[in-house]
Amino acid sequence: MLPLLFACVDPTDSAEGDTAVDSDDVASTLPTEAPLAEVDVVVIGSGAGGLASAWAAREAGASVLIVERADTAGGATVNAGNYWAAGTTWQSAAGIEDSAALAISEWSGFTGGDGDSPVVKAFVEGSAGVLDWLAGLGAGFGISSSVAADTGSKPRFHQLSSEAGRPPVNVVAETLVGESWFLTTATELVLDGEAVAGVWVTDAAGAPGWIHAGAVVVATGGFTRNDAIVHAALPALQDQSTWIEAFPGMDGNGLALAAAAGATEQNMDHLGLYAHGVADARHGQPEVMVIVGLDSSMVVDATGARVTDERQFGSVAMGTRYLTEGPYYAIVDDVLWARINLQGRGFNYLGDPEAMTLTGAEYEALHPVLLGEDAETLGTALGIDGAGLAASLQRYNSDAAAGTDTEYAKPSSSFTPLGKAPLRGLPIVLGRSKSFGGLATDLDGAVIRADGSVIVGLYAAGEACGFLGDPAIGSGLNGSVTSAWWSGLLSGTSAASP
Ligand SMILES: Cc1cc2nc3c(=O)[nH]c(=O)nc-3n(C[C@H](O)[C@H](O)[C@H](O)COP(=O)(O)OP(=O)(O)OC[C@H]3O[C@@H](n4cnc5c(N)ncnc54)[C@H](O)[C@@H]3O)c2cc1C
């Protein structure tokens, strides 16, 4: 293993003119100036993937260093409240019978991916252990009793609980304070021949330097805010207006970093797309507010026809359907409008969390909402087929009054007549959420080339590799942050023992 030098090196020190590190190695293509630090494993990014990777590498005996371009740890991971896992102690305690074997058998059904894939098996079998590990460090979880979309047949959402413990990012990041450089941006991998041997970084002032490392883990998050990558991966999105629910840092820069070392990508056209929100009334396009209570509305397409059981709008599958069948419109009567909330995404409201959630009336005061005294006039206002909308609403209301959804079997808890004027129509936007594609990796989390060969010294974790580094994840799962932590533990362990 490389000697640990970084602890006594200031990243802002200029290294210009220093002697070459490997001057005896004639084959070396390393930079000639002295590195800012020399470690076994350098991890780019401090979200779930990066933190877990650094933690595991250090546990395996390696010296580690995290470089994080933000001024604090966590990335998008600080926003994630729902963790998917199967066969956990939380489920058992709540009387929920579940197992990894059951979840694996259902995998293709709720992700569209390959449940026979070894990486899927390893992740699902390890998912309960990820939560045990985080809880062991002081994180708190509770279990939701309801089955969420894209999670299989059992309640598998484990929600962060401030009563039970502290946020996962905090408990892991605290253990790595002395091994984390903030306001430090990775700009390019350092190659020694074909092997990755470190990374170039800039500090807050833009001053460059490089870190010599035995291995580099790319844990830079996803690419959903990068239009060029998104449109190349999913051309159908070019015809849609741009709406994004992903963390501001999701620019996909890790893909370009790794590509320079020969990395290949996989599953790029599988974006987590959601059709469950409207324009953020405070921030405007492309930011989104989620409609809390959408399941109790009636959602129609441009012909005025109802689309599905509205509870399905929590799933990635409905986002994908929107691409070919959208746009969709949520129809709400005056009673439901008084109960609905519009909820912004946490990263847009860090300075003012109180402003994040709006009632319908508050939303309407900030952003135009189309109204109609009846379905026909609302249809005209929305620019959709008013007669079709009137027919759908009549059937919806008579079914709801009778207590049976004859079209889509929505349960009565979300199914009440929408009769009180005025009616409102909310144009649902298509929000890009996360990337279920990215760098391709092998079963050890090592980044591979298009021919399947391993790039020595290069690993990936989290959304940078589409969570599992393999198309077997399919269209993805809700609560996938667990797999970001899982892939971090895997890549960190492997990177420490190449
Ligand atoms: C509002 C919101 C709610 C969400 N809710 C959930 C949920 O309930 N459940 C769920 O499973 N998922 C949820 N997600 C998605 C989830 O948060 C992410 O998929 C997950 O956190 C990704 O983890 P990561 O480690 O791959 O990336 P991140 O956590 O984003 O970490 C990547 C880090 O890399 C840093 N970085 C990037 N490039 C560089 C560079 N060149 N140099 C240095 N540092 C760099 C970034 O600053 C960032 O800190 C939510 C996301 C959002 C935005």
Side-chain angles (χ1 to χ4, degrees), residues 130-482:
V130 171
L131 268 58
D132 287 339
W133 163 64
L134 291 169
L137 291 174
F141 295 98
I143 180 83
S144 162
S145 60
S146 55
V147 174
D150 302 326
T151 59
S153 70
K154 300 283 182 180
R156 295 185 174 125
F157 257 3
H158 296 72
Q159 288 159 337
L160 296 191
S161 158
S162 53
E163 282 111 60
R166 300 170 53 234
V169 163
N170 298 24
V171 300
V172 184
E174 274 168 17
T175 73
L176 291 156
V177 168
E179 288 135 316
S180 303
W181 285 358
F182 296 105
L183 297 173
T184 305
T185 303
T187 55
E188 191 183 346
L189 295 178
V190 172
L191 296 177
D192 190 359
E194 292 196 334
V196 173
V199 64
W200 282 99
V201 296
T202 54
D203 67 14
W210 73 287
I211 297 159
H212 188 195
V216 175
V217 181
V218 178
T220 47
F223 60 82
T224 34
R225 281 198 184 256
N226 186 318
D227 280 347
I229 300 177
V230 166
H231 291 160
L234 208 56
L237 272 173
Q238 288 181 46
D239 302 330
Q240 304 283 340
S241 299
T242 301
W243 297 96
I244 306 179
E245 303 181 29
F247 184 69
M250 295 296 189
D251 61 10
N253 79 89
L255 300 181
L257 281 177
T264 194
E265 295 163 355
Q266 50 78 34
N267 215 31
M268 292 292 282
D269 56 345
H270 286 70
L271 279 187
L273 297 174
Y274 286 101
H276 62 178
V278 288
D280 183 310
R282 295 189 195 278
H283 292 270
Q285 195 169 10
E287 305 304 319
V288 173
M289 286 183 146
V290 174
I291 307 169
V292 182
L294 181 63
D295 57 334
S296 296
S297 72
M298 180 181 79
V299 180
V300 299
D301 62 18
T303 70
R306 192 172 163 217
V307 176
T308 185
D309 170 354
E310 285 73 13
R311 293 174 308 156
Q312 295 302 317
F313 280 90
S315 72
V316 174
M318 288 314 299
T320 306
R321 271 182 69 177
Y322 187 113
L323 273 177
T324 50
E325 298 175 9
Y328 298 140
Y329 305 85
I331 309 301
V332 176
D333 78 342
D334 209 41
V335 175
L336 182 57
W337 186 238
R339 289 198 280 120
I340 270 183
N341 283 321
L342 293 307
Q343 193 173 74
R345 309 311 278 165
F347 51 78
N348 282 327
Y349 292 89
L350 291 176
D352 189 8
E354 298 290 312
M356 186 167 93
T357 304
L358 300 176
T359 63
E362 288 167 340
Y363 185 85
E364 210 163 16
L366 293 169
H367 191 277
V369 174
L370 294 169
L371 294 91
E373 281 307 304
D374 56 30
E376 293 268 5
T377 52
L378 179 62
T380 305
L382 288 170
I384 67 173
D385 183 340
L389 176 58
S392 298
L393 190 61
Q394 188 177 32
R395 178 170 179 180
Y396 186 96
N397 283 344
S398 82
D399 275 4
T404 303
D405 181 358
T406 57
E407 269 189 293
Y408 295 113
K410 182 160 76 165
S412 55
S413 53
S414 312
F415 197 36
T416 49
L418 302 171
K420 184 159 190 288
L423 297 173
R424 288 172 176 82
L426 303 170
I428 294 176
V429 300
L430 182 61
R432 305 179 205 161
S433 171
K434 39 188 156 175
S435 320
F436 289 106
L439 298 171
T441 65
D442 71 2
L443 290 175
D444 294 324
V447 176
I448 57 176
R449 301 181 180 86
D451 65 6
S453 61
V454 162
I455 300 171
V456 174
L458 189 61
Y459 298 81
E463 273 197 58
C465 63
F467 295 95
L468 296 183
D470 190 285
I473 198 165
S475 298
L477 65 159
N478 265 331
S480 51
V481 68
T482 313

Side-chain angles (χ1 to χ4, degrees), residues 80-99:
N82 292 313
Y83 280 56
W84 185 96
T88 68
T89 50
W90 292 268
Q91 288 174 308
S92 298
I96 298 162
E97 287 183 27
D98 193 15
S99 66

